[in-house]
Amino acid sequence: MLEKHIKKAYNESTEGKRKGDKKTESEKIREYILSAKKITVPNWDGKKLESINRTLKKFGLPKAKGLKINTNAADLTRMPTITKALMAVDTTDSDLIIARGRLGVPGSGSMLVIMDHKGRILSAAISPPHIIHGKSLQEAVEEELKTALQRLGL
Amino acid sequence: MLEKHIKKAYNESTEGKRKGDKKTESEKIREYILSAKKITVPNWDGKKLESINRTLKKFGLPKAKGLKINTNAADLTRMPTITKALMAVDTTDSDLIIARGRLGVPGSGSMLVIMDHKGRILSAAISPPHIIHGKSLQEAVEEELKTALQRLGL
Ligand SMILES: Cc1c(O)nc(CC(=O)O)c(C)c1O
Ligand SMILES: Cc1c(O)nc(CC(=O)O)c(C)c1O
């Protein structure tokens, strides 16, 4: 249950007493991720999904399913990756969403986000534009997901 | 002028022909950043501002000004850092905003974002929760800004 901890943190901020993240908060996020049963990746791209599943396996997490939805419209918004992730929140009953796409304006590079069932951001990772880093899609996605999980202590 | 390139990219996405970022797009973002005259950092925190200015100088960019606005309310939103940056867009006439705060839910660690005068995301960088990385605020902020600029080829 993240809600109890979020409420406490919100109250701290209202009172001007918030001093940054607490160990228990990050631990609750780790628990949420580790207990996920249904993981969804919006935008059915075979390669992207395989890379994600290879990495999830290393962390002891269940396989993600691809969501067959056209996400092109997300690329006409201010935050394409967040918009894609929310498409999956709104059209599935997944516990966890892993979306990958553009960070911001065209040319701004990529982002991978880990979102919970209510659309809250649990973790993320950012890469340079592919024309700058020159990595394969698979390599970039695997690194981003690894980073996004490890930064929380997983 | 980013608008012309954004329109072209949006049209590509609508037609299902978008193949990721183009060199010219990232170049236009670099040009926009390098020509910034007024840079603002919402949330007046002396240490944070000094770290940001030390880094901006290394990249040949002008000093940023702190914005005296209470940003606590941003920490009760889904994307605290983006919300803080938008507060600066809405209350100043800056060319560039550099905001730093929490990524998502409490416990999710931090984010630094570089935003343009209309609220568009040009670049960003993400760090682990401070209780996990154990770095000083100054060190973390300097690294994040450096990463956010270098990933675009600056
Ligand atoms: C649609 C789209 C886009 O325009 N740009 C990017 C970033 C990149 O090419 O590095 C991505 C991942 C993307 O899905
Ligand atoms: C208000 C706030 C918060 O709750 N968490 C963080 C992330 C961290 O502590 O690593 C930051 C930067 C912050 O400004």
Side-chain angles (χ1 to χ4, degrees), chain B residues 48-102:
Chain B
K48 211 189 272 188
L49 189 62
E50 268 175 42
S51 305
I52 287 174
N53 279 331
R54 230 183 338 261
T55 310
L56 288 176
K57 201 177 175 184
K58 289 181 193 160
F59 285 84
L61 286 163
K63 261 195 179 169
K65 278 212 180 96
L67 173 66
K68 288 192 187 179
I69 194 165
N70 186 316
T71 58
N72 288 345
D75 293 328
L76 283 79
T77 67
R78 289 280 182 101
M79 304 202 72
T81 304
I82 303 294
T83 306
K84 278 192 207 177
L86 289 171
M87 284 179 174
V89 171
D90 291 344
T91 62
T92 70
D93 63 345
S94 319
D95 308 310
L96 212 62
I97 316 284
I98 301 173
R100 204 259 183 183
R102 200 170 66 226

Short mmCIF file of all heavy atoms in Angstrom, two decimals, chain B residues 48-102:
data_model
loop_
_atom_site.label_atom_id
_atom_site.label_comp_id
_atom_site.label_asym_id
_atom_site.label_seq_id
_atom_site.Cartn_x
_atom_site.Cartn_y
_atom_site.Cartn_z
N LYS B 48 21.84 24.91 -4.24
CA LYS B 48 21.41 24.34 -5.51
C LYS B 48 21.77 25.28 -6.65
O LYS B 48 22.30 24.88 -7.68
CB LYS B 48 19.89 24.11 -5.47
CG LYS B 48 19.41 22.94 -6.30
CD LYS B 48 17.91 22.90 -6.41
CE LYS B 48 17.23 22.15 -5.28
NZ LYS B 48 15.76 21.97 -5.53
N LEU B 49 21.48 26.58 -6.43
CA LEU B 49 21.74 27.59 -7.46
C LEU B 49 23.24 27.72 -7.76
O LEU B 49 23.64 27.80 -8.91
CB LEU B 49 21.17 28.94 -7.00
CG LEU B 49 21.17 30.06 -8.03
CD1 LEU B 49 20.31 29.70 -9.24
CD2 LEU B 49 20.66 31.37 -7.41
N GLU B 50 24.06 27.70 -6.70
CA GLU B 50 25.51 27.77 -6.90
C GLU B 50 26.02 26.59 -7.72
O GLU B 50 26.85 26.77 -8.61
CB GLU B 50 26.23 27.73 -5.53
CG GLU B 50 26.50 29.10 -4.93
CD GLU B 50 27.09 28.93 -3.53
OE1 GLU B 50 27.96 28.05 -3.33
OE2 GLU B 50 26.66 29.68 -2.63
N SER B 51 25.54 25.39 -7.41
CA SER B 51 25.96 24.20 -8.15
C SER B 51 25.56 24.33 -9.61
O SER B 51 26.34 23.99 -10.52
CB SER B 51 25.29 22.95 -7.59
OG SER B 51 25.53 22.84 -6.22
N ILE B 52 24.34 24.81 -9.84
CA ILE B 52 23.86 24.97 -11.22
C ILE B 52 24.71 26.00 -11.96
O ILE B 52 25.14 25.77 -13.09
CB ILE B 52 22.36 25.33 -11.22
CG1 ILE B 52 21.56 24.08 -10.83
CG2 ILE B 52 21.91 25.89 -12.56
CD1 ILE B 52 20.08 24.29 -10.64
N ASN B 53 25.01 27.12 -11.30
CA ASN B 53 25.79 28.16 -11.97
C ASN B 53 27.24 27.75 -12.25
O ASN B 53 27.81 28.12 -13.27
CB ASN B 53 25.73 29.47 -11.17
CG ASN B 53 24.44 30.20 -11.45
OD1 ASN B 53 23.88 30.09 -12.55
ND2 ASN B 53 23.94 30.96 -10.48
N ARG B 54 27.81 26.96 -11.35
CA ARG B 54 29.15 26.45 -11.59
C ARG B 54 29.16 25.62 -12.87
O ARG B 54 30.07 25.72 -13.69
CB ARG B 54 29.59 25.58 -10.40
CG ARG B 54 30.95 25.95 -9.86
CD ARG B 54 31.46 25.07 -8.74
NE ARG B 54 30.48 24.32 -7.99
CZ ARG B 54 30.00 24.69 -6.79
NH1 ARG B 54 30.39 25.80 -6.22
NH2 ARG B 54 29.12 23.94 -6.17
N THR B 55 28.14 24.79 -13.02
CA THR B 55 28.07 23.92 -14.20
C THR B 55 27.75 24.71 -15.47
O THR B 55 28.34 24.48 -16.52
CB THR B 55 27.02 22.81 -13.97
OG1 THR B 55 27.28 22.20 -12.70
CG2 THR B 55 27.07 21.76 -15.06
N LEU B 56 26.81 25.65 -15.38
CA LEU B 56 26.45 26.46 -16.55
C LEU B 56 27.68 27.17 -17.11
O LEU B 56 27.87 27.25 -18.32
CB LEU B 56 25.37 27.49 -16.19
CG LEU B 56 23.97 26.93 -15.95
CD1 LEU B 56 23.02 28.04 -15.48
CD2 LEU B 56 23.40 26.25 -17.20
N LYS B 57 28.51 27.69 -16.20
CA LYS B 57 29.71 28.41 -16.61
C LYS B 57 30.62 27.53 -17.47
O LYS B 57 31.16 27.95 -18.48
CB LYS B 57 30.46 28.90 -15.36
CG LYS B 57 31.42 30.04 -15.65
CD LYS B 57 32.09 30.54 -14.37
CE LYS B 57 33.15 31.60 -14.71
NZ LYS B 57 33.86 32.03 -13.50
N LYS B 58 30.78 26.26 -17.03
CA LYS B 58 31.63 25.33 -17.77
C LYS B 58 31.14 25.11 -19.21
O LYS B 58 31.91 24.74 -20.09
CB LYS B 58 31.69 23.97 -17.05
CG LYS B 58 32.50 24.01 -15.76
CD LYS B 58 32.54 22.65 -15.08
CE LYS B 58 33.07 22.76 -13.66
NZ LYS B 58 32.71 21.62 -12.80
N PHE B 59 29.85 25.29 -19.41
CA PHE B 59 29.28 25.09 -20.74
C PHE B 59 29.11 26.42 -21.49
O PHE B 59 28.47 26.47 -22.53
CB PHE B 59 27.93 24.37 -20.63
CG PHE B 59 28.06 22.90 -20.32
CD1 PHE B 59 28.20 22.45 -19.01
CD2 PHE B 59 28.05 21.95 -21.34
CE1 PHE B 59 28.33 21.09 -18.72
CE2 PHE B 59 28.17 20.60 -21.06
CZ PHE B 59 28.31 20.17 -19.75
N GLY B 60 29.68 27.49 -20.92
CA GLY B 60 29.61 28.79 -21.58
C GLY B 60 28.23 29.43 -21.53
O GLY B 60 27.91 30.28 -22.37
N LEU B 61 27.43 29.01 -20.57
CA LEU B 61 26.07 29.56 -20.46
C LEU B 61 26.00 30.65 -19.39
O LEU B 61 26.78 30.63 -18.44
CB LEU B 61 25.08 28.43 -20.15
CG LEU B 61 24.77 27.52 -21.34
CD1 LEU B 61 24.16 26.21 -20.88
CD2 LEU B 61 23.84 28.23 -22.32
N PRO B 62 25.07 31.60 -19.53
CA PRO B 62 24.95 32.67 -18.54
C PRO B 62 24.45 32.15 -17.19
O PRO B 62 23.85 31.07 -17.11
CB PRO B 62 23.94 33.63 -19.16
CG PRO B 62 23.16 32.82 -20.13
CD PRO B 62 24.09 31.75 -20.64
N LYS B 63 24.71 32.94 -16.17
CA LYS B 63 24.26 32.60 -14.81
C LYS B 63 22.74 32.51 -14.73
O LYS B 63 22.03 33.34 -15.32
CB LYS B 63 24.70 33.71 -13.86
CG LYS B 63 25.96 33.40 -13.08
CD LYS B 63 26.13 34.35 -11.91
CE LYS B 63 27.40 33.99 -11.16
NZ LYS B 63 27.79 35.00 -10.17
N ALA B 64 22.26 31.55 -13.96
CA ALA B 64 20.81 31.45 -13.72
C ALA B 64 20.45 32.29 -12.51
O ALA B 64 21.26 32.50 -11.61
CB ALA B 64 20.43 30.00 -13.47
N LYS B 65 19.19 32.75 -12.51
CA LYS B 65 18.67 33.48 -11.34
C LYS B 65 17.73 32.57 -10.56
O LYS B 65 16.99 31.78 -11.15
CB LYS B 65 17.86 34.69 -11.83
CG LYS B 65 18.71 35.91 -12.18
CD LYS B 65 17.92 37.20 -11.88
CE LYS B 65 18.75 38.43 -12.23
NZ LYS B 65 18.42 38.94 -13.58
N GLY B 66 17.77 32.70 -9.25
CA GLY B 66 16.82 31.96 -8.43
C GLY B 66 15.46 32.64 -8.46
O GLY B 66 15.38 33.86 -8.58
N LEU B 67 14.40 31.87 -8.40
CA LEU B 67 13.04 32.43 -8.38
C LEU B 67 12.48 32.23 -6.98
O LEU B 67 12.36 31.10 -6.51
CB LEU B 67 12.17 31.72 -9.41
CG LEU B 67 10.68 32.05 -9.42
CD1 LEU B 67 10.45 33.50 -9.84
CD2 LEU B 67 9.94 31.12 -10.37
N LYS B 68 12.14 33.33 -6.32
CA LYS B 68 11.62 33.21 -4.96
C LYS B 68 10.14 32.87 -4.99
O LYS B 68 9.27 33.74 -4.98
CB LYS B 68 11.87 34.50 -4.18
CG LYS B 68 13.34 34.65 -3.83
CD LYS B 68 13.61 35.75 -2.81
CE LYS B 68 15.12 35.92 -2.66
NZ LYS B 68 15.50 36.96 -1.73
N ILE B 69 9.88 31.59 -5.07
CA ILE B 69 8.49 31.13 -5.08
C ILE B 69 8.46 29.86 -4.22
O ILE B 69 9.41 29.08 -4.21
CB ILE B 69 8.02 30.87 -6.53
CG1 ILE B 69 6.50 30.72 -6.61
CG2 ILE B 69 8.69 29.66 -7.15
CD1 ILE B 69 5.95 30.82 -8.03
N ASN B 70 7.38 29.70 -3.48
CA ASN B 70 7.26 28.51 -2.64
C ASN B 70 6.78 27.33 -3.50
O ASN B 70 5.68 27.37 -4.04
CB ASN B 70 6.28 28.78 -1.50
CG ASN B 70 6.23 27.63 -0.51
OD1 ASN B 70 6.18 26.47 -0.92
ND2 ASN B 70 6.26 27.93 0.78
N THR B 71 7.64 26.31 -3.62
CA THR B 71 7.31 25.19 -4.51
C THR B 71 6.80 23.96 -3.76
O THR B 71 6.68 22.89 -4.37
CB THR B 71 8.55 24.80 -5.36
OG1 THR B 71 9.60 24.45 -4.46
CG2 THR B 71 8.98 25.93 -6.26
N ASN B 72 6.52 24.11 -2.48
CA ASN B 72 6.06 22.93 -1.71
C ASN B 72 4.86 22.25 -2.35
O ASN B 72 4.76 21.02 -2.35
CB ASN B 72 5.68 23.33 -0.28
CG ASN B 72 6.89 23.68 0.57
OD1 ASN B 72 8.02 23.35 0.20
ND2 ASN B 72 6.67 24.35 1.69
N ALA B 73 3.94 23.04 -2.91
CA ALA B 73 2.72 22.48 -3.50
C ALA B 73 3.04 21.50 -4.62
O ALA B 73 2.30 20.54 -4.86
CB ALA B 73 1.82 23.60 -4.01
N ALA B 74 4.17 21.74 -5.32
CA ALA B 74 4.55 20.85 -6.43
C ALA B 74 4.79 19.42 -5.94
O ALA B 74 4.58 18.46 -6.68
CB ALA B 74 5.81 21.37 -7.12
N ASP B 75 5.21 19.29 -4.67
CA ASP B 75 5.50 17.96 -4.13
C ASP B 75 4.24 17.17 -3.79
O ASP B 75 4.33 16.02 -3.35
CB ASP B 75 6.44 18.09 -2.92
CG ASP B 75 7.81 18.60 -3.33
OD1 ASP B 75 8.24 18.29 -4.45
OD2 ASP B 75 8.45 19.32 -2.54
N LEU B 76 3.09 17.79 -3.98
CA LEU B 76 1.82 17.07 -3.81
C LEU B 76 1.23 16.72 -5.18
O LEU B 76 0.04 16.39 -5.28
CB LEU B 76 0.82 17.90 -3.00
CG LEU B 76 1.02 17.97 -1.48
CD1 LEU B 76 2.10 18.95 -1.09
CD2 LEU B 76 -0.27 18.32 -0.78
N THR B 77 2.03 16.79 -6.23
CA THR B 77 1.55 16.45 -7.57
C THR B 77 2.24 15.19 -8.08
O THR B 77 3.21 14.71 -7.48
CB THR B 77 1.82 17.59 -8.58
OG1 THR B 77 3.24 17.72 -8.78
CG2 THR B 77 1.26 18.92 -8.06
N ARG B 78 1.76 14.67 -9.20
CA ARG B 78 2.29 13.44 -9.76
C ARG B 78 3.71 13.59 -10.29
O ARG B 78 4.46 12.62 -10.36
CB ARG B 78 1.38 12.97 -10.92
CG ARG B 78 0.01 12.45 -10.47
CD ARG B 78 0.15 11.06 -9.99
NE ARG B 78 -1.07 10.42 -9.56
CZ ARG B 78 -1.76 9.54 -10.29
NH1 ARG B 78 -1.41 9.28 -11.52
NH2 ARG B 78 -2.81 8.94 -9.78
N MET B 79 4.06 14.79 -10.76
CA MET B 79 5.40 15.03 -11.32
C MET B 79 5.98 16.31 -10.72
O MET B 79 5.97 17.37 -11.37
CB MET B 79 5.30 15.16 -12.84
CG MET B 79 4.67 13.94 -13.50
SD MET B 79 5.12 13.83 -15.25
CE MET B 79 6.84 13.35 -15.13
N PRO B 80 6.50 16.22 -9.51
CA PRO B 80 6.94 17.43 -8.80
C PRO B 80 7.92 18.31 -9.58
O PRO B 80 7.75 19.54 -9.59
CB PRO B 80 7.60 16.85 -7.53
CG PRO B 80 6.92 15.55 -7.32
CD PRO B 80 6.65 15.01 -8.68
N THR B 81 8.92 17.73 -10.23
CA THR B 81 9.92 18.56 -10.91
C THR B 81 9.33 19.30 -12.11
O THR B 81 9.61 20.48 -12.32
CB THR B 81 11.11 17.69 -11.38
OG1 THR B 81 11.63 17.02 -10.24
CG2 THR B 81 12.21 18.54 -11.99
N ILE B 82 8.52 18.60 -12.88
CA ILE B 82 7.85 19.23 -14.03
C ILE B 82 6.95 20.35 -13.54
O ILE B 82 6.91 21.44 -14.13
CB ILE B 82 7.03 18.17 -14.82
CG1 ILE B 82 7.91 16.99 -15.26
CG2 ILE B 82 6.31 18.81 -16.00
CD1 ILE B 82 8.97 17.33 -16.27
N THR B 83 6.24 20.12 -12.46
CA THR B 83 5.33 21.13 -11.91
C THR B 83 6.11 22.37 -11.46
O THR B 83 5.69 23.50 -11.72
CB THR B 83 4.53 20.55 -10.73
OG1 THR B 83 3.89 19.35 -11.18
CG2 THR B 83 3.46 21.52 -10.25
N LYS B 84 7.25 22.16 -10.79
CA LYS B 84 8.09 23.29 -10.37
C LYS B 84 8.56 24.09 -11.58
O LYS B 84 8.55 25.32 -11.56
CB LYS B 84 9.35 22.77 -9.65
CG LYS B 84 9.16 22.43 -8.21
CD LYS B 84 10.57 22.24 -7.61
CE LYS B 84 10.56 21.31 -6.44
NZ LYS B 84 11.91 21.08 -5.90
N ALA B 85 9.00 23.39 -12.62
CA ALA B 85 9.50 24.06 -13.81
C ALA B 85 8.38 24.91 -14.43
O ALA B 85 8.60 26.05 -14.83
CB ALA B 85 10.03 23.04 -14.82
N LEU B 86 7.17 24.36 -14.48
CA LEU B 86 6.05 25.10 -15.07
C LEU B 86 5.68 26.33 -14.23
O LEU B 86 5.23 27.34 -14.77
CB LEU B 86 4.83 24.17 -15.24
CG LEU B 86 4.99 23.12 -16.35
CD1 LEU B 86 3.85 22.10 -16.31
CD2 LEU B 86 5.05 23.77 -17.74
N MET B 87 5.89 26.25 -12.92
CA MET B 87 5.67 27.43 -12.07
C MET B 87 6.55 28.58 -12.55
O MET B 87 6.13 29.74 -12.57
CB MET B 87 6.01 27.11 -10.61
CG MET B 87 4.99 26.28 -9.87
SD MET B 87 5.59 25.98 -8.15
CE MET B 87 4.15 25.16 -7.45
N ALA B 88 7.79 28.27 -12.92
CA ALA B 88 8.71 29.29 -13.40
C ALA B 88 8.33 29.80 -14.79
O ALA B 88 8.43 30.99 -15.09
CB ALA B 88 10.14 28.76 -13.39
N VAL B 89 7.87 28.88 -15.66
CA VAL B 89 7.39 29.29 -16.98
C VAL B 89 6.24 30.31 -16.81
O VAL B 89 6.20 31.34 -17.48
CB VAL B 89 6.87 28.08 -17.79
CG1 VAL B 89 6.17 28.52 -19.08
CG2 VAL B 89 8.01 27.13 -18.12
N ASP B 90 5.36 30.01 -15.89
CA ASP B 90 4.14 30.82 -15.72
C ASP B 90 4.35 32.13 -14.97
O ASP B 90 3.48 33.00 -15.00
CB ASP B 90 3.06 29.99 -14.98
CG ASP B 90 2.54 28.86 -15.84
OD1 ASP B 90 2.77 28.88 -17.07
OD2 ASP B 90 1.91 27.94 -15.29
N THR B 91 5.49 32.28 -14.31
CA THR B 91 5.68 33.49 -13.48
C THR B 91 6.90 34.32 -13.88
O THR B 91 7.24 35.27 -13.18
CB THR B 91 5.80 33.11 -11.99
OG1 THR B 91 6.96 32.27 -11.82
CG2 THR B 91 4.57 32.38 -11.48
N THR B 92 7.59 33.94 -14.97
CA THR B 92 8.75 34.70 -15.43
C THR B 92 8.73 34.78 -16.96
O THR B 92 7.92 34.12 -17.60
CB THR B 92 10.09 34.04 -15.02
OG1 THR B 92 10.26 32.84 -15.79
CG2 THR B 92 10.14 33.70 -13.55
N ASP B 93 9.65 35.57 -17.50
CA ASP B 93 9.80 35.59 -18.97
C ASP B 93 11.14 34.97 -19.37
O ASP B 93 11.80 35.42 -20.31
CB ASP B 93 9.68 37.02 -19.51
CG ASP B 93 10.79 37.92 -18.98
OD1 ASP B 93 11.47 37.51 -18.00
OD2 ASP B 93 11.00 39.01 -19.52
N SER B 94 11.54 33.90 -18.67
CA SER B 94 12.82 33.24 -18.94
C SER B 94 12.81 32.49 -20.27
O SER B 94 11.78 32.03 -20.73
CB SER B 94 13.12 32.22 -17.84
OG SER B 94 12.77 32.74 -16.59
N ASP B 95 14.01 32.37 -20.85
CA ASP B 95 14.17 31.55 -22.05
C ASP B 95 14.29 30.08 -21.68
O ASP B 95 13.89 29.19 -22.41
CB ASP B 95 15.48 31.92 -22.78
CG ASP B 95 15.60 33.38 -23.04
OD1 ASP B 95 14.64 33.96 -23.57
OD2 ASP B 95 16.65 33.97 -22.70
N LEU B 96 14.93 29.87 -20.51
CA LEU B 96 15.26 28.50 -20.10
C LEU B 96 15.01 28.35 -18.60
O LEU B 96 15.31 29.25 -17.82
CB LEU B 96 16.76 28.28 -20.38
CG LEU B 96 17.22 26.90 -20.77
CD1 LEU B 96 16.58 26.46 -22.07
CD2 LEU B 96 18.74 26.86 -20.92
N ILE B 97 14.44 27.21 -18.24
CA ILE B 97 14.18 26.90 -16.83
C ILE B 97 14.95 25.64 -16.49
O ILE B 97 14.93 24.67 -17.26
CB ILE B 97 12.68 26.60 -16.58
CG1 ILE B 97 11.77 27.59 -17.30
CG2 ILE B 97 12.39 26.47 -15.11
CD1 ILE B 97 11.67 28.94 -16.68
N ILE B 98 15.61 25.65 -15.35
CA ILE B 98 16.25 24.42 -14.86
C ILE B 98 15.64 24.12 -13.49
O ILE B 98 15.84 24.88 -12.54
CB ILE B 98 17.77 24.58 -14.76
CG1 ILE B 98 18.35 24.93 -16.14
CG2 ILE B 98 18.41 23.29 -14.22
CD1 ILE B 98 19.83 25.28 -16.11
N ALA B 99 14.87 23.04 -13.42
CA ALA B 99 14.22 22.70 -12.15
C ALA B 99 14.74 21.36 -11.66
O ALA B 99 15.08 20.48 -12.46
CB ALA B 99 12.71 22.64 -12.32
N ARG B 100 14.78 21.20 -10.33
CA ARG B 100 15.28 19.96 -9.75
C ARG B 100 14.42 19.58 -8.56
O ARG B 100 14.15 20.42 -7.69
CB ARG B 100 16.73 20.15 -9.30
CG ARG B 100 17.51 18.87 -9.23
CD ARG B 100 17.64 18.37 -7.83
NE ARG B 100 18.46 17.18 -7.76
CZ ARG B 100 18.67 16.53 -6.63
NH1 ARG B 100 18.16 16.96 -5.50
NH2 ARG B 100 19.39 15.43 -6.64
N GLY B 101 13.98 18.36 -8.52
CA GLY B 101 13.14 17.91 -7.42
C GLY B 101 12.85 16.44 -7.54
O GLY B 101 13.60 15.71 -8.17
N ARG B 102 11.73 16.02 -6.97
CA ARG B 102 11.40 14.59 -6.97
C ARG B 102 10.88 14.16 -8.34
O ARG B 102 10.17 14.90 -9.01
CB ARG B 102 10.37 14.29 -5.89
CG ARG B 102 10.35 12.81 -5.51
CD ARG B 102 9.50 12.60 -4.26
NE ARG B 102 8.12 12.89 -4.53
CZ ARG B 102 7.34 13.62 -3.74
NH1 ARG B 102 7.80 14.14 -2.62
NH2 ARG B 102 6.09 13.84 -4.06
#
